[in-house]
Amino acid sequence: MRRIIAVATVTLTISEYIKDDVTHIDISQVATGGISSVENRTLDWEFRDHSDRIFGDVKGRSRWVKLEDVDDDEFLKKGYDDMEGEHVQGWVENKGRGWTANQIWGFEIIEGKRYYVRHVVVRKGDDWKLARLVYDYQK
């Protein structure tokens, strides 16, 4: 499944809104071949359970964060076109499979064009992987 995801074209439909003074970001994702998932983020740093056919049963939390306040890998904190403002941080853990993922969302200028990006650090035991997801977008 991961190999398919790595080469798939993914379309995101994103909705952002404020409810009870908290930012919510709801994302519907559809990949080549019709593989789909829903990602609902509430930016209050409270853990929420989620079950996903790709990632399994996970627990995650999200928030607005300044890059200087991110305690993890430097990879998460570099390359954005706005280094001073706030970014979205997401933390997900899958206790059953033993992995965690820490990610920062923002925008980068790549070859003169602005892209939505996610920098992700995934850890399982002593093993870790870095990923930079780059999305083209339309307003």
Side-chain angles (χ1 to χ4, degrees):
M1 179 71 83
R2 283 187 282 246
R3 289 183 188 167
I4 293 170
I5 292 169
V7 296
T9 297
V10 179
T11 300
L12 307 178
T13 302
I14 302 172
S15 174
E16 178 183 346
Y17 57 96
I18 306 290
K19 182 178 177 184
D20 299 326
D21 294 325
V22 177
T23 302
H24 295 256
I25 302 174
D26 298 343
I27 303 172
S28 172
Q29 303 177 56
V30 179
T32 306
I35 300 168
S36 65
S37 67
V38 175
E39 182 178 359
N40 296 324
R41 303 287 184 140
T42 303
L43 279 60
D44 62 2
W45 210 231
E46 296 293 324
F47 277 107
R48 288 177 176 77
D49 293 324
H50 176 73
S51 185
D52 186 284
R53 72 181 193 181
I54 296 171
F55 300 108
D57 293 329
V58 297
K59 179 170 73 168
R61 60 186 182 169
S62 302
R63 66 178 173 175
W64 288 111
V65 67
K66 289 192 172 283
L67 296 174
E68 64 196 39
D69 296 328
V70 175
D71 295 331
D72 208 353
D73 195 286
E74 285 298 314
F75 171 76
L76 293 174
K77 301 190 273 189
K78 65 181 181 181
Y80 303 100
D81 66 350
D82 176 6
M83 298 298 290
E84 303 300 320
E86 291 188 312
H87 293 72
V88 173
Q89 179 180 21
W91 171 268
V92 178
E93 55 189 57
N94 184 314
K95 296 245 186 230
R97 295 182 183 161
W99 59 263
T100 63
N102 193 3
Q103 56 183 291
I104 301 293
W105 306 357
F107 291 89
E108 289 185 31
I109 305 299
I110 302 169
E111 296 180 4
K113 188 173 177 184
R114 191 171 192 241
Y115 291 90
Y116 164 56
V117 296
R118 295 183 186 193
H119 291 201
V120 186
V121 176
V122 179
R123 289 189 173 85
K124 183 173 183 178
D126 292 335
D127 191 25
W128 53 271
K129 303 287 184 215
L130 305 177
R132 183 177 95 178
L133 307 176
V134 178
Y135 300 89
D136 200 357
Y137 72 97
Q138 298 173 356
K139 291 184 180 183

